[in-house]
Amino acid sequence: MNLHAQWITGFVDGEGCFSVSIVKNEKTKYQVMPEFIITQHERDIQILYGLKSYFQCGIVKKNGPNSNCYVFVIRDYKLLSSRIIPFFEIHKLKTKKRIDFEKFRYVVNFMMEKKHLSLTGIEELQIFLKKWRSSKRKVEYKDQE
Amino acid sequence: MNLHAQWITGFVDGEGCFSVSIVKNEKTKYQVMPEFIITQHERDIQILYGLKSYFQCGIVKKNGPNSNCYVFVIRDYKLLSSRIIPFFEIHKLKTKKRIDFEKFRYVVNFMMEKKHLSLTGIEELQIFLKKWRSSKRKVEYKDQE
């Protein structure tokens, strides 16, 4: 399946997700996990393989044991930095998802500079993510009014 | 907002909907209502106006009085036939939504030939739509297994 760059941008504007979480592992060390993910029903799994082939990275896997959905996901921040971020810098998202992308890019660049390896860096990121989530919640809260 | 044809195709692969309904009006006459529709949260209403401007037809309106979503919708079968169908014949959808588009096109062409104006035509369309919905329900049923 040959995918056009603009088709990918439009599809990601509809279906893509840029997110970041910070998890604490057993050794009480913090791990920053950026994630670019696209979910599709199994009937469209070929789209996910098409994206994997286009970006030459990422994996396609079932979205949970009882799910009929599959995900295409990239979590490696070096690959996100070298393949995903330059793509969306050239082929700009048209929806407000662009704001998520810009915040996501900030975190990936932060990691590329190894700033996430210090506790100060983690604290800085936690504040950044809190603000990001809060700005998203404001939209959701407004939806419930 | 300038939208690229391939961006539109990718976005519709994610967010677009092709549907047809048959309603009976007060005078017990049947009305066939094809509909191409894209729904977005109000924060992305500018995308809907961009689509309206691209296709030079359709309307943008609130999706219900208490909704925070807006829709871009085209219902006129002549406009669907002259602007929407030729577009997706050139810029082919990549997901299984293409099957919905092909069934939708069949109905619009049926209307362009005025076949929906006879009771025989309406009956033929009702059978066609029943089969279409049944094939979609099979996927949904499989999801619940």
Side-chain angles (χ1 to χ4, degrees):
Chain A
M1 176 177 287
N2 288 323
L3 299 177
H4 188 288
Q6 279 294 328
W7 183 92
I8 292 173
T9 311
F11 195 65
V12 169
D13 258 318
E15 303 279 284
C17 180
F18 300 93
S19 72
V20 179
S21 54
I22 298 178
V23 292
K24 214 173 177 179
N25 69 16
E26 288 170 4
K27 295 172 187 169
T28 69
K29 281 185 180 170
Y30 290 94
Q31 199 180 351
V32 184
M33 294 177 69
E35 189 174 74
F36 171 56
I37 192 164
I38 299 177
T39 307
Q40 285 295 284
H41 188 276
E42 62 185 358
R43 68 177 164 262
D44 281 314
I45 194 172
Q46 87 285 0
I47 298 287
L48 303 181
Y49 282 114
L51 289 163
K52 182 182 170 175
S53 168
Y54 185 94
F55 289 113
Q56 287 288 297
C57 64
I59 56 164
V60 173
K61 61 172 188 172
K62 216 167 186 192
N63 192 22
N66 299 317
S67 174
N68 289 300
C69 289
Y70 281 75
V71 293
F72 166 63
V73 60
I74 307 173
R75 290 199 176 118
D76 182 313
Y77 71 91
K78 289 174 187 165
L79 288 170
L80 288 166
S81 175
S82 62
R83 313 238 171 126
I84 300 304
I85 287 170
F87 177 87
F88 289 108
E89 280 175 340
I90 296 167
H91 309 288
K92 294 192 192 307
L93 293 161
K94 300 276 190 188
T95 66
K96 291 289 184 290
K97 201 167 280 177
R98 193 181 59 250
I99 298 167
D100 282 337
F101 165 72
E102 284 162 4
K103 292 182 175 174
F104 183 81
R105 176 176 60 183
Y106 174 84
V107 174
V108 172
N109 288 342
F110 194 92
M111 295 177 81
M112 287 300 285
E113 293 169 15
K114 309 282 181 206
K115 290 187 191 169
H116 66 301
L117 300 179
S118 72
L119 193 58
T120 325
I122 289 290
E123 283 168 356
E124 196 181 320
L125 269 190
Q126 279 170 330
I127 292 166
F128 181 82
L129 294 183
K130 203 173 169 182
K131 279 186 190 166
W132 181 2
R133 280 175 201 136
S134 160
S135 67
K136 284 171 82 87
R137 263 201 301 275
K138 269 181 199 159
V139 173
E140 283 160 20
Y141 177 72
K142 206 181 154 206
D143 285 354
Q144 288 160 10
E145 275 177 351
Chain B
M1 175 177 287
N2 287 323
L3 300 177
H4 189 288
Q6 279 294 328
W7 183 92
I8 292 173
T9 311
F11 195 64
V12 168
D13 258 318
E15 304 278 286
C17 181
F18 300 93
S19 72
V20 179
S21 55
I22 298 179
V23 291
K24 211 172 176 178
N25 70 16
E26 287 172 5
K27 294 174 187 167
T28 71
K29 281 187 180 170
Y30 290 96
Q31 197 179 355
V32 184
M33 293 177 69
E35 188 174 75
F36 171 56
I37 191 163
I38 299 177
T39 307
Q40 285 293 286
H41 188 275
E42 61 185 359
R43 67 177 165 264
D44 280 315
I45 194 171
Q46 88 285 2
I47 297 287
L48 303 181
Y49 282 113
L51 289 163
K52 182 181 170 178
S53 167
Y54 185 94
F55 290 113
Q56 287 287 298
C57 64
I59 56 164
V60 174
K61 61 172 188 172
K62 218 168 186 193
N63 192 20
N66 299 317
S67 175
N68 288 300
C69 289
Y70 281 75
V71 293
F72 165 64
V73 60
I74 306 172
R75 289 200 178 118
D76 182 312
Y77 72 92
K78 289 175 188 166
L79 288 171
L80 288 165
S81 175
S82 62
R83 313 239 172 126
I84 300 304
I85 287 170
F87 177 86
F88 289 108
E89 281 175 339
I90 296 167
H91 309 288
K92 293 190 193 309
L93 293 160
K94 300 275 189 188
T95 66
K96 291 289 184 289
K97 201 167 280 178
R98 194 182 58 250
I99 298 167
D100 282 338
F101 166 70
E102 284 162 4
K103 292 182 174 174
F104 183 81
R105 177 176 58 184
Y106 174 84
V107 175
V108 172
N109 288 342
F110 194 93
M111 295 177 81
M112 288 299 287
E113 292 168 16
K114 309 280 179 205
K115 290 186 190 168
H116 66 300
L117 299 179
S118 73
L119 193 59
T120 326
I122 289 290
E123 283 166 356
E124 196 180 324
L125 269 191
Q126 279 170 329
I127 292 166
F128 181 82
L129 294 183
K130 203 173 170 183
K131 280 186 188 165
W132 180 3
R133 279 173 201 138
S134 161
S135 67
K136 284 171 85 87
R137 264 200 301 275
K138 269 181 199 159
V139 173
E140 284 161 18
Y141 178 73
K142 206 180 153 205
D143 286 355
Q144 288 161 11
E145 276 178 351

